Amino acid sequence: MSTEKLQVAVVGLGRMGMRHARHFATLTPRAHLVAVCSPVQAELDAAKNEFGGHLRTYLDYDRMLQHEPTLQAVVVASVASAHAEQAVKAIERGLHVLCEKPLSTSLEEAECVLAAYKKSLLTRPGQKVMCGFSRRFDASYRDAHARVARGDIGVPSVFRSQTCDKLDLSTFTPAYSGIFTESSVHDIDLTLWFLGEDSRVKSVFAAGITAIEPALRERNDRDNGIGIVEFYNGKIAQLLVSRMMAAGQEDTTEIIGTQGKIAVNAAPQLNLVHIHDATGIRREVPADYFGRFREAFITEANEFTASCLNDTPAPIRLDSTVNAMKIACALQESMVTGQKVEFDESGQRVSLAKL
């Protein structure tokens, strides 16, 4: 195996950005973290302190791109509203890109990222660009996908999935792009992965409530939502998304086929410990998303690195990510307007017939 190491920079040093930095710096043997970027000096100082004096730090993203001639890959983990612009700039410089979800805060921006990538591939066919949907790298989800792919449950026809976060009011911020586009997009990506990445969406409908924070309505958002996605191949998905779980993270998926069903994380648990006390018998669940999917993030970093160095296909197709974003945006719109959103077989929006 080649001893070459992928030269990586991470942009955005919030909670998720620092996790990515740690994974590429210490848990991805074929990668070398050479630079980080953040508009917050304190975050840069913390990164320098943790990763050592060799690390170069930048307050300005454009400056980092200009002053790192040996840079090969950028991990975009900044605020969601900056993802698309930063990804496009890196793509245009010929860099590999791993972008945290969501790829953008709008479908138009997501399509711009895909267009920039397709254009770049004409002269840089080995370039890799993907959005980081960590559940695809989770051992349990991969086992489930392998079973579905080999026909263990017949034809997968109904998909049910949820992303239910432990209640944390600090996440109810204006920077949040929307409950379907920010959180449920994980389940939408899984829908396409299990039901077929080329599945064409026929219609979506969603409803939501603001049980904890009514002010979310002013930002066209909710703290709980349910969506229905119908596909032209006769398959359907039901999605639940919530930000108010009391016990901890509850991410569960069911794939129902013509000859059986597979469930992933149907009974969430932190570990194999059961507590017997005066309240009864119980088990704890992960406190947050990272507690459930830490190993998946590490696998993601290593497989993305291998893809770049070995010139093998990226683990996740970018066009599939844009399709997921299309569905997420339509669900967000439907939740706010109360109207069903429909598409023709070419993927274009269609107007509803007036009664």
Side-chain angles (χ1 to χ4, degrees), residues 140-159 190-196 235 253-264:
S140 296
Y141 275 102
R142 285 187 163 183
D143 183 25
H145 188 267
R147 294 174 186 277
V148 171
R150 71 181 181 224
D152 287 10
I153 60 169
V155 179
S157 304
V158 178
F159 184 86
L190 288 175
T191 301
L192 295 174
W193 194 35
F194 279 94
L195 299 186
K235 301 179 181 183
T253 298
E254 292 180 308
I255 309 97
I256 303 169
T258 54
Q259 297 175 21
K261 180 181 84 170
I262 289 177
V264 180

Side-chain angles (χ1 to χ4, degrees), residues 68 89 95 116 148 165 211 259 289 299 319 325-326 338:
E68 290 293 332
K89 286 182 177 180
L95 301 174
V148 171
D165 299 331
Q259 297 175 21
Y289 184 82
T299 302
D319 62 333
M325 194 68 193
K326 175 195 289 187

Side-chain angles (χ1 to χ4, degrees), residues 239-300:
L239 309 173
L240 167 64
V241 59
S242 175
R243 301 180 194 160
M244 66 173 200
M245 294 296 101
Q249 194 77 18
E250 297 184 31
D251 299 330
T252 303
T253 298
E254 292 180 308
I255 309 97
I256 303 169
T258 54
Q259 297 175 21
K261 180 181 84 170
I262 289 177
V264 180
N265 205 38
Q269 59 188 57
L270 179 64
N271 51 37
L272 298 180
V273 173
H274 283 69
I275 302 164
H276 300 241
D277 59 19
T279 66
I281 303 173
R282 58 188 170 86
R283 62 175 179 267
E284 295 183 338
V285 302
D288 56 22
Y289 184 82
F290 189 69
R292 167 64 179 86
F293 293 105
R294 177 182 180 273
E295 296 304 316
F297 279 103
I298 296 169
T299 302
E300 175 188 87

Side-chain angles (χ1 to χ4, degrees), residues 102 104-110 177 180-182 185 188 204 322-336 341 343 349:
S104 70
T105 53
S106 75
L107 177 59
E108 292 75 15
E109 289 182 348
S177 66
F180 278 104
T181 54
E182 184 90 15
V185 70
I188 298 166
V204 308
V322 174
N323 286 338
M325 194 68 193
K326 175 195 289 187
I327 295 170
C329 289
L331 285 166
Q332 191 77 17
E333 177 185 332
S334 177
M335 180 184 68
V336 173
V341 178
F343 299 85
R349 288 279 295 268

